[in-house]
Amino acid sequence: MKLNLNVQPLSTWLKPVNENTPLVIAGPCSAETEDQLLATAHLLAKTGKVAALRAGIWKPRTRPGEFEGIGSIGLEWLKRAKAETGLPVATEVATAKHVEEALAAGVDVLWVGARSTANPFTVQEIADAVRGVDIPVIVKNPVNPDLSLWIGALERINNAGITKLAAIHRGFSSHEKTAFRNQPMWELAIQLKTLCPELPIINDPSHICGNREIIPYISQKALDLDMQGLIIESHIDPSIAWTDAKQQVTPSALADIIDHLTLRHSEAQNAEFSDKLAELRKEIDRLDDQIIQKIAERMNVAEKIGEYKRDNDVTVLQVNRWDEILQKRITFGKALKLDEDFTAKLLELLHNESIRKQTEIMNAKPVA
């Protein structure tokens, strides 16, 4: 099923600085002082690599008492930064009042934050506030890995008449402790792109990483997955930033990151390449057909096992057998150079489907 959104190409409302540079939106996590914002803006503009300036004016915080943004006065600083550098400016909005004030200040791009995306009431309030206004709106994924919430927020904004629309992939909250602040869960962004290929998706490596050291890696991976740009937090002196100090980079460090990114294309104009790619894709199709057939055969055997268990009053789940399968197959997969995590997830999917089928057999009413 395709997602039916009416969106304009990103290039009609925001473009990279040049064809050799990815689209980059950059600026401090928070506008702290006028001097801080203006100095950062000028240095970013000087790099010649940044297409738009971002800065948080209102900051939703987990607990009261933390810095919650400088507030409306920061909009005046954004206006000045825009006038002095020529950079379009972007900020987050979470209420109708935010929208009203940002529009009055001439903000060029609005974004909906992850916490707002998670609340349909908040998104609808923002959608109602931008109705009838010709302004770009970009929507971050919700905090939790819920693709429907992300889609719903995009639909609400689109239904309000906003066609300059994009999504921001900023990763998802997880209890699992890893190197990332927010788990990338690339598969969700890929699902969104598959459902709506024309929807631009911009990656936010700052919030995925939570620290500046791995921003280059995530940025490159996002571009390799055909995301249309990056939104990166940049501060004139991250060591004294009032919010998210660890994930911000200086303008010069940002320029260095951009210089080392490799731009690739979704299609190639080389006929020899296209012919070879088509040949390899046919091979993939053939193998996929075989895999599906083998899975179907496996499920037929699982159903027979279910019938045998039913007839002999044996439980569906047998933990020792499952552990044995898991360990043997993961070891085998590793020998074939398959990632252990991938093999485990694949086996879990197959096992869960086998359990489902066998449970249906167990619970089926006998034929009279």
Side-chain angles (χ1 to χ4, degrees):
M1 183 185 74
K2 293 296 182 182
L3 184 60
N4 186 25
L5 294 178
N6 177 23
V7 296
Q8 295 185 38
L10 185 59
S11 60
T12 64
W13 52 272
L14 193 61
K15 296 180 180 180
V17 175
N18 59 64
E19 61 180 14
N20 299 316
T21 301
L23 172 70
V24 177
I25 302 169
C29 174
S30 301
E32 300 164 356
T33 68
E34 186 171 18
D35 288 345
Q36 167 254 3
L37 180 60
L38 289 173
T40 304
H42 278 284
L43 288 175
L44 289 171
K46 189 177 180 181
T47 67
K49 304 176 190 301
V50 174
L53 172 70
R54 56 139 292 151
I57 301 298
W58 303 279
K59 300 294 296 181
R61 309 301 291 172
T62 302
R63 300 179 64 185
E66 298 178 344
F67 177 63
E68 295 186 324
I70 203 67
S72 303
I73 191 174
L75 294 171
E76 296 302 315
W77 306 343
L78 275 179
K79 284 175 66 175
R80 184 175 170 189
K82 177 181 176 179
E84 293 184 7
T85 66
L87 291 174
V89 294
T91 198
E92 178 178 347
V93 292
T95 68
K97 188 172 186 295
H98 291 170
V99 173
E100 179 183 340
E101 293 187 24
L103 293 176
V107 172
D108 299 285
V109 180
L110 307 177
W111 81 76
V112 180
R115 299 185 186 198
S116 296
T117 301
N119 187 334
F121 289 108
T122 298
V123 176
Q124 191 59 55
E125 179 180 341
I126 295 169
D128 291 340
V130 297
R131 191 179 302 276
V133 181
D134 182 21
I135 188 166
V137 179
I138 46 182
V139 180
K140 288 195 174 187
N141 64 250
V143 174
N144 296 318
D146 190 328
L147 183 61
S148 293
L149 270 179
W150 199 4
I151 290 172
L154 289 159
E155 288 176 325
R156 289 176 187 275
I157 300 297
N158 197 222
N159 289 342
I162 300 298
T163 58
K164 296 174 181 176
L165 183 68
I168 297 180
H169 170 234
R170 49 83 76 192
F172 301 87
S173 177
S174 171
H175 293 297
E176 184 181 356
K177 299 293 184 182
T178 71
F180 302 114
R181 176 181 178 183
N182 293 292
Q183 296 300 309
M185 298 188 187
W186 299 102
E187 64 274 15
L188 291 180
I190 291 170
Q191 285 181 47
L192 180 61
K193 182 178 282 290
T194 302
L195 289 170
C196 189
E198 65 272 19
L199 177 72
I201 300 182
I202 297 169
N203 181 260
D204 180 351
S206 301
H207 279 89
I208 288 176
C209 298
N211 70 78
R212 61 185 67 89
E213 285 76 18
I214 50 178
I215 285 176
Y217 167 76
I218 291 296
S219 297
Q220 184 62 64
K221 181 158 185 176
L223 296 179
D224 290 345
L225 290 175
D226 200 26
M227 294 193 183
Q228 280 70 57
L230 305 166
I231 180 167
I232 301 177
E233 293 184 346
S234 180
H235 191 290
I236 190 171
D237 186 354
S239 67
I240 59 171
W242 296 1
T243 53
D244 290 346
K246 292 181 180 180
Q247 68 189 42
Q248 299 194 65
V249 297
T250 63
S252 61
L254 176 68
D256 186 62
I257 290 171
I258 297 170
D259 283 341
H260 286 86
L261 293 174
T262 300
L263 288 181
R264 297 182 171 93
H265 306 284
S266 56
E267 299 290 341
Q269 303 303 316
N270 184 301
E272 182 180 350
F273 168 85
S274 298
D275 289 344
K276 183 62 177 178
L277 188 62
E279 179 184 335
L280 292 171
R281 283 173 171 168
K282 284 182 180 178
E283 181 67 6
I284 287 286
D285 291 343
R286 182 185 68 79
L287 291 170
D288 282 348
D289 287 344
Q290 290 181 1
I291 290 170
I292 295 297
Q293 290 174 29
K294 291 299 179 184
I295 289 175
E297 291 176 17
R298 188 188 193 281
M299 292 306 160
N300 287 336
V301 174
E303 289 177 353
K304 292 179 181 177
I305 291 174
E307 292 170 355
Y308 196 58
K309 287 178 179 177
R310 178 199 61 199
D311 296 342
N312 289 272
D313 295 325
V314 175
T315 60
V316 169
L317 179 62
Q318 294 171 311
V319 176
N320 290 339
R321 168 61 178 163
W322 168 234
D323 286 341
E324 178 189 347
I325 291 174
L326 201 58
Q327 295 306 316
K328 284 184 176 180
R329 302 298 188 273
I330 287 177
T331 300
F332 183 49
K334 189 175 180 181
L336 296 175
K337 297 183 179 180
L338 291 176
D339 179 78
E340 290 184 40
D341 187 52
F342 167 77
T343 304
K345 287 180 179 177
L346 176 60
L347 289 169
E348 286 173 8
L349 284 172
L350 293 171
H351 185 247
N352 288 341
E353 180 63 8
S354 295
I355 292 293
R356 187 190 68 79
K357 284 181 172 291
Q358 291 184 17
T359 300
E360 283 184 352
I361 290 170
M362 289 283 191
N363 296 327
K365 293 181 180 180
V367 178

